[in-house]
Amino acid sequence: MISLILILLASLFFTGLVIWTKSITSGRKGPGIFQPLKDVLRLFKKGAVYSKTTGIIFQVAPTIYFASVMMAIFVVPFGQARGFISFEGDFVFFAYVLATGKFFSIISALDTGSSFEGMGASREALFSMFAEPAFFILMGSFALLTGHSSFQGIFTAMHFTTKFSYALGALATFVLVIIAMVENSRMPFDDPKTHLELTMVHEVMILDNSGFDLGLILYTTNLKFAMYGALIANFFIGAIPWYLALLVFFGVQFVFAITIGLIESFTARFRMSHNAQYIFALSSVSLLIFFGVLLVLGKFI
Amino acid sequence: MNEKKWINLVLMGDSNLLILNFIVTFFGLLLILISPAKWKSGLLLLLVIFNSFLTSVPAIHALTGTPLNIIISRFSPFGPIPVRIDALAAWFILIINFTCITGVLYGKKYMEAYKEQKGNLSMHWTLYLLFHFSMVSVCMVQNSIAFLIAWELMSLSSLLLVVFDHQNKKTLHAGINYLVQMHIGVLFLTSAFIWVYFSEGSFDFTAIGRALNNHTGIWLFFLFFVGFGIKAGFTFMHTWLPHAHPAAPSHISGVMSGVIVKLGIYGILRVAFMLKQDYLLIGQFVLIFSIVTGLFGILNAAVHRDFKKMLAYCTIENIGIIGTGIGIGIIGMGNNNSLLMILGFSGALLHTLNHSLFKSLLFFSAGSVYQQTHSRDMEKLGGLAKYMPKTAMTFLIGAIAICGLPPFNGFVSEFILYSGYVEGIKVLPISQTILMVISIACLAIIGGISMLAFTKSYGTIFLGNARTPLHDQPQETSFMTRFPLYLIILVMLSVGIFPQFYFSVLINVISTSVPGGIVNNFAGYDNLLPVISSVGRYSLAFLCFTVLIYFLRNRLMQNRTENIAGTWGCGYAAPNVKMQYTGKSFSKPIAKLLNFVVLEKKKFTEIPKNEVFPLERDYSSHYIDFFESNIINKVVDKIVYAANYFQFIQNGKIQAYVLYGIFFIILIFLGTAINII
């Protein structure tokens, strides 16, 4: 319950903060941090234009996409305070419910019968497929480390006992940041500001969406960022008092947003054909975490 | 006293029902043959439903705790035939019955298009009854020879059902391929049964358990595994599937993919439950082999453009997923961990049910598409959701379920398997933990690729614009055609939303099937059931939440302006349907990345340097099966080459054949004379 409110709060300024950072680093003043939210609100008030090729799938897909991310947010805990939904193995539910949303956003892109949108859909399907094992290995490793298999159980039982476990936390943060970048189609993998349809991933899929649906999709991106930020924050919250935990939560969200801004300012987009390999390499980082966990537990004899 | 009498009566009743089942089948076959053409399918439907009822009653009794165990000793030329319906058999019998009923409901309408071929159709319906009967018998008889007869009856009747369209050369080729491969499987099974007979002196299945207990038991298991694995379609033994499924009429593909391959799984489980040693080795072997099967199957499914072939490869993937469950279960037995064992086996068994549901749903929907468009090539289709919205919906539901996404049933079984892996990671010793982590990653990849495969198929067939003009405009199928599909969706939703019911039945199946010593502490149950039920609850919550938001959105949009325009074409003024993204290009990136497994064959002539004005030319490419083209075909070619040298034996002269007979008789005579035989 607390996590839901906090994530919703963080989602209000997250993308704004990213854009603000990018503006500052490129020497511009930049819009206010609530500008993306205002854009979404403006879109919510508008009517819609539909392609004559599209059908019902195109109209329900943004809703399902939004609902799936909300459902995933319900699973995310805040330190020891569990989310709305919490059971053993809830991280599987988390990953699969997000996949349902992705399934619909992919087929809604195909529903337009466009020559570009299928391209983005294909890439989205491929990249998220490669990101999936990294997440599962990561969660498997933490299940091994803590002996729990729900988000709340894992995060509550996480103790940074040895120096080594700090390294694990750092690596896990790295994995989650990259997964968040892939899932939200951000810079090294996809340039949201590109003007060429051929090089887009996520943006090209929503070319035909307009009005309320577009607003919903854009807002869902904010939510998704805040959700991953919350997951990362949970690694560090553990069992500290609530006021410190709040501080850590927003601190992590701020740092996360600014990091994304900085990455986007100083890197160029990867070559599309190299993306898959790069994302798949993430699984090896996850495996590194797994071997680290084995070391911590003394299973290597 | 009274209670015991009652139980006896019920058991007696059950065996009577089975006898009735036999009689109904026998006379039913004759009845269908002699009845007028227009009644045949209706009659078959009645008979299948009646037979299903007769066998489901003992099956339900077995699941609720009174297994059936009768021994037929009269009329049997090869010793007493034990007929046992235990919980494991009952689970499969119920799956078979349901899929066969929906199959005949759908097939009745599907085959109306072929009503001129009266003789052919009469044969088809007759065989369907026999096919259903033989599949149920396979689950019940526990005498090796009777089992092989039932098994063979099943293979042959399904073969003849597959080659309904026997004028088509490709269909016939697929049929012969199926026939040969099934008999290679029977060869392995027969040798395994002979092995059991010689070591234990009995044809009863209980002897298998004793034979597996020997120190060579592991090899016996592998014989059984290969024999049943060919039927199930594990990779390397799968090559009949992608040929037979597209060739068969759709209701037959649905039933074959839904249940016939599952009988291979039944056999493997039957043998696996009798294991008493070598658990770890066997479990790890099954797990690794299944994961390779899953990856290989789904990778091929993602690239093929014939949608029935795509579904056939997807069956291979799902057999892989079921196999991983069996692997985890056996590893759990080896580690004396009942929780792991239950998670593995129940995941496998539940996925068996789930796959039979959504795969038949997909095949039936695909069959409707084929009948309306006369094409199995998805690149020629497109935009069908506009003409066949309801069929598009059923296919979509099947696709979501098969990708293992909530709120449908596929998610539940995959969730159980993931829980099994996580449990394995937590409790197992290090070497197996590493295997579990790799498996969990592979299952995630399989899930990812299946999403790619099904978004591609659904998107290419049903969405966008029609890619080529069709002869007739496709029309939505009749309600009666869709009725069995709705029935399947209902059951799928029940599994997705109330999984705890199915799970508790499965716990019963596993606890009664596994040898006693291993099931020691079932403490994990009490924690497990609420978790499983919460999966269903939250799936339902997801569904409701989505509906709620969609309702709110529509309320909000009610008074807004809504314009219809063309798809954004990047400013290009004259887009046409050929510019749509194709299914092939959708799956090209992954095919290119993994081109060492997914082999692409291209046919084209290059433009020579001096050809200044190139003429029109053709380019075609298709994907070929790695194992079939690289290993199996090469071996077969070698065998055929060697066999050529013996062609002189089969020379077509009757005189020569008579001579062979005489030679043989003399050989026997000499053999007995000098006491060799």
Side-chain angles (χ1 to χ4, degrees):
Chain A
M1 189 64 197
I2 308 170
S3 57
L4 176 69
I5 296 168
L6 288 177
I7 291 170
L8 287 178
L9 273 178
S11 74
L12 299 181
F13 62 80
F14 199 99
T15 325
L17 206 59
V18 174
I19 292 171
W20 180 78
T21 315
K22 282 169 81 172
S23 309
I24 295 293
T25 48
S26 58
R28 287 179 286 123
K29 198 174 148 222
I33 61 168
F34 292 110
Q35 189 55 44
L37 199 68
K38 287 175 191 160
D39 290 342
V40 169
L41 287 177
R42 180 171 50 86
L43 283 169
F44 276 163
K45 287 178 205 147
K46 287 197 168 190
V49 183
Y50 296 111
S51 156
K52 56 178 178 285
T53 314
T54 59
I56 180 82
I57 298 286
F58 187 76
Q59 303 209 16
V60 294
T63 309
I64 296 180
Y65 180 56
F66 171 75
S68 74
V69 173
M70 282 306 285
M71 215 57 200
I73 288 173
F74 290 158
V75 179
V76 177
F78 175 64
Q80 284 168 325
R82 56 176 63 193
F84 263 125
I85 299 172
S86 177
F87 55 95
E88 292 289 300
D90 55 4
F91 69 88
V92 182
F93 184 75
F94 174 85
Y96 269 70
V97 93
L98 282 179
T100 310
K102 207 170 292 153
F103 186 98
F104 274 90
S105 64
I106 290 170
I107 59 174
S108 108
L110 293 174
D111 201 11
T112 58
S114 142
S115 36
F116 310 110
E117 300 190 24
M119 207 177 289
S122 160
R123 288 168 186 163
E124 174 101 349
L126 185 71
F127 297 162
S128 59
M129 183 270 283
F130 278 119
E132 210 96 314
F135 177 75
F136 277 100
I137 296 175
L138 181 74
M139 293 319 290
S141 312
F142 282 114
L144 174 62
L145 180 67
T146 59
H148 291 273
S149 46
S150 67
F151 271 132
Q152 197 243 353
I154 288 172
F155 291 136
T156 316
M158 276 261 280
H159 295 299
F160 287 108
T161 43
T162 60
K163 278 178 194 161
F164 208 83
S165 29
Y166 284 105
L168 288 183
L171 278 177
T173 308
F174 173 75
V175 171
L176 278 181
V177 169
I178 302 287
I179 289 178
M181 305 289 259
V182 176
E183 294 281 314
N184 285 306
S185 308
R186 298 307 286 208
M187 195 44 160
F189 309 101
D190 176 22
D191 187 355
K193 285 276 166 275
T194 180
H195 290 290
L196 181 60
E197 283 84 348
L198 293 176
T199 60
M200 295 177 180
V201 180
H202 187 69
E203 263 56 38
V204 73
M205 290 170 66
I206 55 172
L207 273 180
D208 267 275
N209 287 97
S210 57
F212 185 83
D213 288 347
L214 183 62
L216 209 54
I217 293 171
L218 291 181
Y219 182 60
T220 309
T221 307
N222 295 358
L223 276 177
K224 237 175 163 177
F225 261 131
M227 176 182 77
Y228 280 105
L231 271 188
I232 295 168
N234 270 315
F235 277 116
F236 303 101
I237 289 175
I240 55 176
W242 64 270
Y243 50 90
L244 275 180
L246 273 182
L247 211 64
V248 170
F249 181 88
F250 284 107
V252 167
Q253 296 279 15
F254 270 103
V255 174
F256 184 32
I258 290 170
T259 313
I260 290 171
L262 289 176
I263 292 175
E264 299 215 332
S265 307
F266 294 104
T267 53
R269 199 177 57 75
F270 288 154
R271 262 179 69 185
M272 201 60 86
S273 56
H274 289 183
N275 266 349
Q277 283 101 319
Y278 187 83
I279 299 168
F280 196 54
L282 204 57
S283 300
S284 57
V285 180
S286 285
L287 272 180
L288 207 63
I289 296 175
F290 173 65
F291 289 122
V293 169
L294 286 181
L295 267 180
V296 170
L297 293 179
K299 279 210 171 191
F300 278 128
I301 303 164
Chain B
M1 180 65 197
N2 251 343
E3 202 179 325
K4 208 172 177 186
K5 209 172 177 182
W6 184 77
I7 290 173
N8 272 341
L9 206 72
V10 171
L11 286 181
M12 279 289 287
D14 283 357
S15 57
N16 287 341
L17 289 182
L18 292 186
I19 294 167
L20 194 58
N21 175 29
F22 184 78
I23 295 169
V24 165
T25 310
F26 185 77
F27 286 103
L29 292 175
L30 298 175
L31 210 60
I32 294 177
L33 273 180
I34 58 168
S35 68
K38 60 178 176 184
W39 289 0
K40 282 183 204 289
S41 57
L43 192 62
L44 173 77
L45 177 64
L46 284 180
L47 286 168
V48 168
I49 291 177
F50 191 56
N51 264 349
S52 302
F53 170 74
L54 292 178
T55 48
S56 295
V57 170
I60 290 169
H61 284 166
L63 283 178
T64 49
T66 37
L68 179 78
N69 189 355
I70 50 176
I71 292 176
I72 303 170
S73 38
R74 269 183 288 176
F75 322 115
S76 163
F78 30 80
I81 304 174
V83 175
R84 299 194 185 105
I85 302 184
D86 53 2
L88 180 67
W91 180 256
F92 280 89
I93 288 174
L94 291 179
I95 293 175
I96 291 168
N97 284 341
F98 183 76
T99 312
C100 278
I101 290 174
T102 54
V104 71
L105 268 172
Y106 178 78
K108 192 169 171 297
K109 283 282 165 191
Y110 185 84
M111 293 311 254
E112 270 175 13
Y114 302 91
K115 60 172 176 269
E116 304 86 51
Q117 311 181 19
K118 278 184 184 157
N120 205 356
L121 216 51
S122 168
M123 174 97 161
H124 188 82
W125 296 131
T126 318
L127 283 166
Y128 194 96
L129 188 64
L130 191 64
F131 172 60
H132 178 209
F133 175 73
S134 60
M135 283 199 294
V136 174
S137 308
V138 162
C139 297
M140 293 193 291
V141 289
Q142 297 215 348
N143 169 301
S144 313
I145 296 178
F147 178 84
L148 281 176
I149 290 173
W151 187 261
E152 193 66 1
L153 212 58
M154 173 178 82
S155 296
L156 290 179
S157 55
S158 61
L159 163 77
L160 293 172
L161 289 173
V162 167
V163 295
F164 176 79
D165 184 20
H166 56 81
Q167 290 92 345
N168 189 335
K169 220 172 175 181
K170 267 189 177 167
T171 307
L172 212 54
H173 182 262
I176 291 171
N177 191 342
Y178 175 59
L179 180 74
V180 171
Q181 298 215 27
M182 283 311 106
H183 285 89
I184 295 172
V186 170
L187 193 71
F188 278 96
L189 287 183
T190 313
S191 4
F193 283 131
I194 290 174
W195 180 336
V196 173
Y197 182 70
F198 275 102
S199 87
E200 303 301 325
S202 165
F203 286 127
D204 195 322
F205 271 20
T206 48
I208 299 174
R210 295 198 297 274
L212 280 170
N213 223 354
N214 288 335
H215 56 278
T216 50
I218 189 164
W219 295 108
L220 182 59
F221 178 82
F222 286 136
L223 268 186
F224 275 118
F225 185 78
V226 174
F228 288 123
I230 290 180
K231 189 61 117 189
F234 277 97
T235 188
F236 202 68
M237 315 181 251
H238 69 269
T239 49
W240 64 272
L241 263 155
H243 295 292
H245 282 17
S250 285
H251 60 292
I252 300 301
S253 323
V255 175
M256 276 182 74
S257 187
V259 287
I260 242 200
V261 296
K262 302 300 156 36
L263 289 175
I265 295 292
Y266 165 77
I268 291 170
L269 274 172
R270 174 67 72 200
V271 179
F273 281 147
M274 288 192 245
L275 281 174
K276 291 209 179 59
Q277 57 187 14
D278 297 320
Y279 293 119
L280 285 185
L281 193 60
I282 290 174
Q284 286 172 3
F285 165 78
V286 173
L287 182 56
I288 294 171
F289 200 71
S290 305
I291 282 173
V292 174
T293 302
L295 285 173
F296 180 79
I298 195 59
L299 210 54
N300 277 287
V303 296
H304 276 283
R305 54 194 283 171
D306 175 342
F307 54 75
K308 280 178 89 178
K309 203 169 200 168
M310 183 286 279
L311 290 175
Y313 273 113
C314 176
T315 299
I316 298 170
E317 171 234 333
N318 279 282
I319 289 297
I321 293 179
I322 295 170
T324 56
I326 300 176
I328 300 172
I330 299 176
I331 290 175
M333 281 159 94
N335 285 291
N336 238 341
N337 183 331
S338 51
L339 183 60
L340 194 57
M341 187 187 74
I342 285 167
L343 286 173
F345 285 133
S346 64
L349 284 167
L350 192 60
H351 202 73
T352 307
L353 167 68
N354 287 343
H355 181 244
S356 79
L357 294 170
F358 46 61
K359 191 44 75 64
S360 49
L361 177 67
L362 284 168
F363 264 120
F364 297 164
S365 311
S368 300
V369 170
Y370 174 68
Q371 268 201 332
Q372 292 299 322
T373 62
H374 306 289
S375 172
R376 292 202 310 260
D377 185 351
M378 57 175 99
E379 306 287 11
K380 292 208 170 80
L381 305 174
L384 281 182
K386 285 193 196 66
Y387 306 111
M388 311 170 70
K390 285 164 185 152
T391 307
M393 189 55 110
T394 53
F395 191 95
L396 177 65
I397 289 174
I400 296 171
I402 209 165
C403 293
L405 300 175
F408 290 100
N409 55 350
F411 177 63
V412 179
S413 44
E414 294 211 3
F415 178 84
I416 295 175
L417 289 175
Y418 274 113
S419 307
Y421 286 128
V422 173
E423 179 63 22
I425 288 173
K426 284 196 285 198
V427 299
L428 292 181
I430 179 160
S431 63
Q432 297 163 43
T433 309
I434 292 172
L435 181 63
M436 288 289 160
V437 160
I438 294 170
S439 309
I440 206 173
C442 288
L443 195 59
I445 293 179
I446 291 174
I449 305 179
S450 64
M451 204 164 94
L452 197 142
F454 278 93
T455 46
K456 170 202 164 188
S457 311
Y458 183 76
T460 321
I461 300 172
F462 292 102
L463 302 177
N465 288 311
R467 288 184 168 73
T468 50
L470 297 165
H471 288 299
D472 313 299
Q473 180 160 317
Q475 281 168 354
E476 185 56 273
T477 50
S478 66
F479 175 76
M480 278 317 285
T481 315
R482 284 179 277 117
F483 175 66
L485 308 184
Y486 295 145
L487 219 59
I488 297 173
I489 291 171
L490 221 60
V491 180
M492 276 165 56
L493 270 177
S494 79
V495 181
I497 292 170
F498 307 106
Q500 62 272 34
F501 167 69
Y502 294 86
F503 188 72
S504 52
V505 169
L506 280 175
I507 286 181
N508 182 21
V509 172
I510 295 163
S511 58
T512 52
S513 306
V514 172
I518 299 164
V519 189
N520 40 20
N521 60 331
F522 279 69
Y525 277 6
D526 305 333
N527 303 329
L528 214 54
L529 215 53
V531 170
I532 302 294
S533 67
S534 58
V535 170
R537 200 163 57 239
Y538 295 130
S539 294
L540 181 65
F542 177 44
L543 195 66
C544 296
F545 188 61
T546 310
V547 171
L548 176 74
I549 292 179
Y550 191 61
F551 174 75
L552 289 179
R553 168 197 179 271
N554 283 356
R555 281 297 294 274
L556 203 70
M557 297 284 286
Q558 228 166 25
N559 301 321
R560 302 272 172 86
T561 51
E562 201 173 280
N563 293 320
I564 305 292
T567 298
W568 166 243
C570 202
Y572 185 65
N576 69 35
V577 289
K578 282 194 173 166
M579 292 178 188
Q580 276 180 98
Y581 215 59
T582 60
K584 159 105 192 210
S585 23
F586 189 87
S587 60
K588 181 79 185 182
I590 189 164
K592 214 171 164 186
L593 272 174
L594 300 165
N595 57 6
F596 50 94
V597 189
V598 205
L599 310 173
E600 190 181 10
K601 212 162 201 171
K602 296 173 186 169
K603 259 191 233 158
F604 61 95
T605 41
E606 265 184 70
I607 301 175
K609 269 185 187 160
N610 53 4
E611 194 175 336
V612 183
F613 300 106
L615 296 170
E616 196 179 289
R617 53 188 74 219
D618 291 326
Y619 172 93
S620 74
S621 84
H622 65 281
Y623 291 98
I624 48 177
D625 191 297
F626 178 80
F627 287 106
E628 191 175 21
S629 66
N630 277 8
I631 299 169
I632 293 174
N633 281 355
K634 283 189 178 159
V635 173
V636 169
D637 285 349
K638 290 266 167 7
I639 294 173
V640 169
Y641 184 73
N644 269 335
Y645 289 107
F646 299 93
Q647 227 175 17
F648 68 91
I649 296 174
Q650 193 190 16
N651 49 17
K653 289 178 193 153
I654 292 184
Q655 293 93 323
Y657 294 157
V658 173
L659 196 65
Y660 298 154
I662 293 173
F663 268 135
F664 185 70
I665 292 170
I666 292 173
L667 218 64
I668 297 283
F669 178 72
L670 285 179
T672 43
I674 54 175
N675 262 340
I676 298 173
I677 302 170

